[in-house]
Amino acid sequence: MEKIVLDVDSFNPEHIFKCGQAFRWRELEDGSYLNIAHGKVIRVVGGSEVILENANFIDYQYIWKNYFDLERDYSALKESFSGDSILKPAIEYGSGIRVLNQEPFETIITFIISANNQIPRIKNAVDKIASMYGEKISNPYLDAYSFPKAEVLAEASPKDLREFARVGFRDERIVEASKLIRDGEIDFSILENSPIDEARKELMKLPGVGPKVADCVLLFAFKRSESFPVDVWIKRVMEELYIKGTISKNKVAEYGRKQFGNLAGFAQQYLFYYGRENDLGK
DNA sequence: GGGCAGGTCTAAG
DNA sequence: CTTAGACCTGCC
């Protein structure tokens, strides 16, 4: 089978897929991971050398290099945090984290689904939506479907989404957001280039997108590493490790952006993984 | 069984 | 501008 062997440091599939950024991966018994993105299915094998199986060089060049953020120097990134003794154990714990660059529409919808939800249920819903509205992906591993385009999901029925994909009260938000995106109501260039506050505001035009989801989308799909998504876990971790007290989620986000600057999103990922895996602040 | 989970929306102060 | 309550669903 075709494969790409990566010459990278700071790449641990477990860290990457379990730090809360992606929902379409599946762990195999041997510890490797299947991942669906960009209409492809690959197997990711970690270790001293990282292997992308079922990937050819073209896909590597045009998809995976960017998807896995392979052109970023993570050693330098970590080094730039070296003055922060609080962050240090978190970085060591999640040393193989990389912030993925995911597809915008899929990221928007999956994080709308993530609101007040649990990871296994989010994953089930996303898989189900793909099998209902996506296209079949031929691959050597399993039945897999691409995530549908906005034009398709815009025509879906909320009732079906609720009944079969089990998305609950997020049903209409998904369809309405898809319609707005299909109709060009969201200016992606603002999301990419405008100051972070404007980008957040643009994204929050969508139903189901509040501050937290907006920050996730900007970080995980638009390379906006100055955004600092605050969920219950990050709130707990930040309050326990940095703030030493209780403040609102918006204040935590403000604090994070100020504290970590352009690299806030990376700090968030290390802290999230560290905090969640160790039940910090609970 | 009531509580809770990777928030958002709405209606109020 | 900040805050309480409701909200699908599934599992403990």
Side-chain angles (χ1 to χ4, degrees):
Chain A
M1 199 176 317
E2 288 182 301
K3 64 178 183 180
I4 300 289
V5 179
L6 301 179
D7 178 26
V8 286
D9 64 316
S10 304
F11 190 125
N12 183 327
E14 183 179 354
H15 295 176
I16 291 170
F17 292 123
K18 292 188 177 173
C19 66
Q21 56 182 330
F23 299 104
R24 298 212 70 190
W25 46 269
R26 175 161 157 178
E27 188 172 7
L28 301 180
E29 288 185 0
D30 63 2
S32 65
Y33 291 81
L34 293 182
N35 185 48
I36 308 172
H38 292 273
K40 313 268 180 189
V41 181
I42 57 171
R43 188 166 80 97
V44 184
V45 187
S48 54
E49 58 179 19
V50 176
I51 298 167
L52 306 183
E53 189 184 77
N54 198 38
N56 60 35
F57 187 68
I58 300 291
D59 289 345
Y60 167 74
Q61 279 293 344
Y62 287 97
I63 298 175
W64 306 120
K65 191 156 75 173
N66 179 55
Y67 181 83
F68 286 108
D69 205 24
L70 293 173
E71 292 185 296
R72 188 184 303 277
D73 183 347
Y74 276 75
S75 297
L77 169 72
K78 293 171 185 171
E79 184 60 30
S80 64
F81 284 128
S82 61
D84 188 330
S85 60
I86 300 175
L87 201 51
K88 198 172 179 191
I91 292 177
E92 281 173 14
Y93 189 82
S95 63
I97 287 174
R98 305 182 81 84
V99 175
L100 300 174
N101 296 303
Q102 303 184 67
E103 297 158 274
F105 178 65
E106 174 175 339
T107 308
I108 290 167
I109 300 301
T110 55
F111 278 92
I112 286 174
I113 295 171
S114 79
N116 191 226
N117 213 339
Q118 296 172 141
I119 293 171
R121 287 184 42 214
I122 301 165
K123 290 175 66 172
N124 284 337
V126 175
D127 278 342
K128 192 69 191 177
I129 289 173
S131 69
M132 289 166 74
Y133 301 103
E135 288 171 23
K136 189 154 194 168
I137 303 170
S138 85
N139 74 92
Y141 308 111
L142 76 174
D143 257 15
Y145 297 83
S146 63
F147 195 82
K149 303 290 176 205
E151 305 84 71
V152 178
L153 217 41
E155 301 298 328
S157 92
K159 186 167 174 290
D160 286 348
L161 287 171
R162 182 178 287 231
E163 193 171 336
F164 300 116
R166 315 304 291 168
V167 299
F169 58 78
R170 307 159 193 85
D171 55 355
E172 292 188 345
R173 297 176 181 176
I174 294 168
V175 176
E176 292 309 310
S178 300
K179 284 182 181 166
L180 289 172
I181 292 166
R182 175 199 61 187
D183 297 340
E185 300 289 333
I186 301 300
D187 186 345
F188 277 33
S189 72
I190 291 179
L191 306 184
E192 287 164 11
N193 303 317
S194 296
I196 199 71
D197 286 335
E198 282 178 40
R200 299 174 91 213
K201 209 161 83 184
E202 180 71 7
L203 219 31
M204 286 193 282
K205 286 181 183 171
L206 296 171
V209 178
K212 190 271 181 180
V213 170
D215 281 337
C216 283
V217 171
L218 289 171
L219 177 59
F220 301 139
F222 289 94
K223 301 177 189 282
R224 299 304 297 264
S225 58
E226 72 270 49
S227 80
F228 190 79
V230 177
D231 53 46
V232 289
W233 287 101
I234 283 295
K235 183 171 187 297
R236 288 180 195 138
V237 173
M238 289 300 289
E239 286 174 346
E240 172 144 337
L241 297 182
Y242 285 90
I243 299 165
K244 312 286 185 192
T246 308
I247 60 175
S248 74
K249 281 166 89 170
N250 279 333
K251 294 285 184 195
V252 177
E254 220 170 274
Y255 187 104
R257 287 197 292 272
K258 192 167 288 182
Q259 178 79 15
F260 304 115
N262 285 337
L263 302 176
F266 293 98
Q268 192 269 6
Q269 289 289 278
Y270 292 120
L271 289 167
F272 177 89
Y273 185 66
Y274 182 62
R276 191 171 194 285
E277 297 290 317
N278 297 296
D279 269 354
L280 236 65
K282 216 182 166 181

